[in-house]
Amino acid sequence: MGYLSSLLPSGKVSFHHAPKALRLALKSSSSAPPPSSTSTAQKDRKEDEEDQEQTYISLPDLCKASTPQKCQLNPLLFNGHLQTAYTVIKNDDVPVYYKRWTFQANNAAYSGSFDVDFVVPPYETSLAEITSPGAQETINKTPKHAAPPPHLLPPRTSFFTVEEFAAFSSATDTKPMLVVLHGLSGGSHEIYLRHVIAPLLKAGWEACVLNFRGCAKSRITSPILYNARATWDVRQLVGWVREAFPQRRLFGIGFSLGANILTNYLGEEGESCPLSAAVICSSPWNLEVTSLALQRTWLGLEVYSKTMGSNMKRLFEQHVDEISKHPRVNVERIRNIKYLHEFDRELQGPVWGYPTETAYYRDASSIDSIFAIKIPFFVVQAEDDPIAVNEALPYNEIKKTPYGVMCTTSWGGHLSWFEYGGTRWFTKPITTFLTKMATEIDLDAPYKIEGGDAQEKDEKIHHKDANGDPALNFVAMRRKLEMPVVPFVGIGKSTAFSLDN
């Protein structure tokens, strides 16, 4: 393959970031404490010397070191449409096993429940998925505090027993852990996210996937689904994981719509974010721009928007008995929609209180959330993505924050990047970046901005942004639809169902 790879066409790989980027401290080769006989003055002097000798790497350099120089994909899939279409055809098996738990929402404004699939060691369970319409109906009719039959769930997925879940947390486990958010109507079973999880598991990571309400054969217990800025379940899950595994470093990754939600969450959390770093993959960013782009072409409207609209309408039908309880839901109007923007007009807008789907798109877009993120994040996008379109990408915004780097490839499609032989290119920069953050970066050391201490002090005095421009009073996370952000209340406050009750 070495000689053949030199003949394969290669897509362009580009990086976009602020001129003055974040600097991350590398772990020192020795972390031994000073001898106990050392005086306080000597200790202080030694600490000052160590701080001066601390080795740093810029976030752009770290991202570039994590990314293959070439993006050599399957030459038969020579554009974004073919790459994206191949996701339907290519169905390789990447075995990841899950145990599921149902959490009760701790936000009264977004009541109900949501399911989380935690990655566990392999065990005997169903490897086939029952796809008949009656499967979801059976799950929905299962008593609220009982687990549905495992064979009705996605492959390699079953519920924790109460005893298993009670013993699941650990106060001493130090493995890095990844919190995963899937795409529009997907779930933990999606192959693109398993391609990322599997190699990290081999490297000693743990992971969990938040299934959006109603997705992945989960039940809903309130008459609302989720939307592109529904960060409340993410916040509760991250808070629970932080408390259940206090010694683990937490990282996040979002794909497509999940990337948009994760970006909004990171912006809302700001400097209080419990995650150490995050990856944003194939995000739509500016939802209004993306929607208009889909409606502009025949392929965009009749293939992509129609397919996504059908998927969401199918999800609605699976939970129609519960969703139809909402006073602003018109079942017949929803059943008559064809495209994704029509679904958002008839369901998401009315349920969440938006007057139009475009008002919803403007409010839920994550492109401005970039400015409020205060942890390192790595963005991976394809310029020929027919869904998360190039014109919606944050080319200007990413240059105004030191905390993020965006890698774009000229070729790759939506959540695709298929290489010759079936592997996926995007898994390489993502898993390498996460591994480097977890193993090579001193996550306890404070961040620095390129320019040195004098520059940092000057910024504090004169209130300048990362590029030296006077900072304006721009509130990145100001929303038109106010939804309360409820902090995690703790494991002792009962955030999960007991399947015995």
Side-chain angles (χ1 to χ4, degrees):
M1 185 65 186
Y3 175 74
L4 180 60
S5 65
S6 65
L7 302 178
L8 293 175
S10 180
K12 182 181 179 182
V13 180
S14 304
F15 293 89
H16 315 267
H17 53 83
K20 296 175 182 176
L22 201 67
R23 290 192 295 145
L24 306 170
L26 293 168
K27 290 181 178 178
S28 59
S29 57
S30 174
S31 58
S36 57
S37 59
T38 306
S39 67
T40 302
Q42 288 175 319
K43 288 181 181 179
D44 292 342
R45 188 161 52 250
K46 184 175 180 62
E47 289 175 358
D48 290 340
E49 291 173 355
E50 288 177 350
D51 185 64
Q52 292 175 2
E53 295 174 358
Q54 178 78 64
T55 303
Y56 284 81
I57 184 173
S58 72
L59 182 60
D61 286 345
L62 181 70
C63 294
K64 292 173 183 177
S66 303
T67 306
Q69 293 182 351
K70 295 183 178 181
C71 180
Q72 292 181 314
L73 307 183
N74 190 328
L76 299 178
L77 308 174
F78 51 81
N79 61 34
H81 297 298
L82 293 174
Q83 282 280 336
T84 304
Y86 197 59
T87 59
V88 180
I89 302 171
K90 181 65 174 176
N91 193 26
D92 52 342
D93 189 25
V94 180
V96 175
Y97 289 76
Y98 299 104
K99 285 283 188 173
R100 178 170 293 188
W101 191 254
T102 299
F103 289 81
Q104 288 180 308
N106 64 357
N107 190 331
Y110 192 38
S111 61
S113 61
F114 59 94
D115 285 1
V116 179
D117 289 343
F118 294 89
V119 176
V120 296
Y123 62 97
E124 289 190 11
T125 187
S126 173
L127 300 182
E129 182 177 6
I130 306 299
T131 58
S132 64
Q136 183 68 56
E137 183 178 356
T138 302
I139 292 173
N140 293 343
K141 290 182 178 179
T142 302
K144 183 181 293 186
H145 300 297
H151 70 278
L152 298 181
L153 298 176
R156 301 185 180 91
T157 304
S158 63
F159 270 86
F160 279 109
T161 65
V162 174
E163 294 75 19
E164 287 174 335
F165 193 72
F168 185 60
S169 60
S170 171
T172 58
D173 192 300
T174 59
K175 294 178 182 178
M177 185 167 185
L178 185 65
V179 178
V180 184
L181 275 62
H182 60 77
L184 179 65
S185 56
S188 61
H189 58 282
E190 295 290 355
I191 187 65
Y192 56 79
L193 62 83
R194 285 187 282 138
H195 269 293
V196 169
I197 291 175
L200 291 176
L201 294 180
K202 293 180 180 179
W205 284 59
E206 299 290 346
C208 64
V209 183
L210 169 63
N211 294 307
F212 302 147
R213 299 190 185 191
C215 293
K217 300 295 180 66
S218 64
R219 294 169 287 188
I220 65 170
T221 55
S222 64
I224 51 178
L225 289 171
Y226 55 93
N227 69 22
R229 60 161 292 204
T231 59
W232 307 282
D233 292 348
V234 185
R235 180 170 295 102
Q236 183 173 338
L237 171 60
V238 172
W240 183 90
V241 173
R242 172 78 287 149
E243 191 165 318
F245 302 97
Q247 300 302 316
R248 287 182 179 176
R249 292 291 186 179
L250 304 183
F251 301 83
I253 185 170
F255 298 93
S256 194
L257 183 78
N260 190 84
I261 294 174
L262 179 61
T263 305
N264 281 330
Y265 164 76
L266 298 176
E268 289 171 356
E269 292 297 295
E271 294 180 350
S272 301
C273 186
L275 302 180
S276 295
V279 174
I280 309 299
C281 185
S282 295
S283 176
W285 292 102
N286 190 323
L287 302 182
E288 185 175 26
V289 170
T290 299
S291 178
L292 292 175
L294 288 174
Q295 296 175 55
R296 192 181 303 136
T297 66
W298 185 88
L299 276 175
L301 185 64
E302 296 298 333
V303 176
Y304 301 117
S305 182
K306 189 174 182 179
T307 299
M308 291 186 287
S310 297
N311 290 341
M312 292 306 295
K313 188 162 66 170
R314 186 180 307 113
L315 189 67
F316 167 77
E317 290 291 353
Q318 291 173 352
H319 305 283
V320 64
D321 290 344
E322 189 67 35
I323 298 174
S324 61
K325 296 177 183 178
H326 196 288
R328 291 197 292 269
V329 168
N330 187 316
V331 174
E332 291 307 312
R333 289 177 68 93
I334 296 171
R335 283 175 171 164
N336 288 329
I337 69 101
K338 288 179 61 178
Y339 308 112
L340 180 60
H341 64 277
E342 292 178 338
F343 178 86
D344 292 334
R345 178 188 304 156
E346 299 299 342
L347 182 68
Q348 298 288 46
V351 166
W352 295 97
Y354 292 104
T356 64
E357 73 271 22
T358 49
Y360 158 56
Y361 294 153
R362 288 189 292 271
D363 200 40
S365 291
S366 62
I367 192 164
D368 286 344
S369 301
I370 281 180
F371 302 119
I373 298 175
K374 301 300 179 183
I375 65 168
F377 66 98
F378 186 28
V379 179
V380 181
Q381 304 274 162
E383 295 170 8
D384 66 352
D385 189 324
I387 296 172
V389 295
N390 191 43
E391 62 192 277
L393 300 190
Y395 286 108
N396 293 324
E397 290 77 8
I398 201 72
K399 296 177 182 178
K400 292 293 184 177
T401 172
Y403 291 91
V405 172
M406 181 168 69
C407 170
T408 61
T409 61
S410 58
W411 185 14
H414 188 68
L415 295 174
S416 303
W417 286 282
F418 285 102
E419 298 175 305
Y420 188 81
T423 55
R424 297 199 182 194
W425 180 89
F426 77 93
T427 64
K428 298 173 184 176
I430 288 175
T431 56
T432 305
F433 170 77
L434 290 170
T435 300
K436 285 181 176 292
M437 285 296 306
T439 61
E440 298 180 13
I441 301 301
D442 184 353
L443 298 174
D444 293 319
Y447 304 138
K448 292 181 179 292
I449 305 295
E450 287 186 335
D453 293 338
Q455 174 68 27
E456 292 166 18
K457 292 177 182 177
D458 182 69
E459 288 171 3
K460 291 180 180 178
I461 295 172
H462 298 289
H463 305 289
K464 293 183 178 181
D465 67 13
N467 293 321
D469 301 323
L472 302 177
N473 187 27
F474 176 76
V475 182
M477 301 311 298
R478 182 181 290 130
R479 298 296 191 184
K480 295 181 176 65
L481 177 65
E482 287 296 328
M483 290 287 285
V485 174
V486 178
F488 178 69
V489 295
I491 293 176
K493 299 297 184 180
S494 182
T495 60
F497 284 140
S498 169
L499 299 180
D500 280 349
N501 293 337

